[in-house]
Amino acid sequence: MKRREEILRQLVDFTGPQQSLMKELAALGWEWPGAPLVRIGRAQMLSVLNRFLAGEMSAHDLHTWAENLEVRDDVGFEEADGDIL
C-alpha cells in the first residue's frame, strides 16, 4: 500500500515519469476498495497549471496527467476544493 501511495503522490505532483508510474500502478491492480490514498487540492492543481503555462510541460502532458488521475478510486479531491476543481 505504501508504494501505491508514493506512486500516486508522484503522479498528482507531476514529479516523476508519468508513463513509468502508470505502468507500476497497473501492476498493482486497478481496483481500490478503500478511501482515497492521495487527494488533489488547489495547491497541486495550481502547481501543475503554472508549470504548463511556463512551458515546462506540453498540452499533451497536461491532458495525460488529468486522464491518468480523473477516474481513479485511490485518488480524490480535497473536500474544501472539490467544487472548484
Side-chain angles (χ1 to χ4, degrees):
M1 180 168 94
K2 188 67 174 168
R3 182 63 186 145
R4 179 185 291 264
E5 186 175 347
E6 291 169 4
I7 295 168
L8 291 170
R9 176 63 49 210
Q10 289 180 38
L11 281 171
V12 167
D13 294 340
F14 206 93
T15 57
Q18 301 287 290
Q19 189 172 10
S20 296
L21 294 170
M22 288 303 296
K23 285 181 183 178
E24 278 191 74
L25 275 179
L28 297 174
W30 181 260
E31 298 295 323
W32 183 252
L37 292 173
V38 175
R39 295 193 178 272
I40 300 172
R42 189 179 305 191
Q44 289 90 359
M45 187 66 73
L46 287 174
S47 173
V48 171
L49 291 174
N50 283 331
R51 290 172 63 190
F52 168 71
L53 292 172
E56 297 174 16
M57 59 191 298
S58 69
H60 175 75
D61 292 337
L62 181 61
H63 179 81
T64 301
W65 174 80
E67 278 191 337
N68 286 341
L69 296 172
E70 74 175 328
V71 296
R72 300 201 59 89
D73 293 333
D74 47 7
V75 175
F77 291 103
E78 292 290 342
E79 289 182 28
D81 299 330
D83 290 339
I84 294 170
L85 302 177

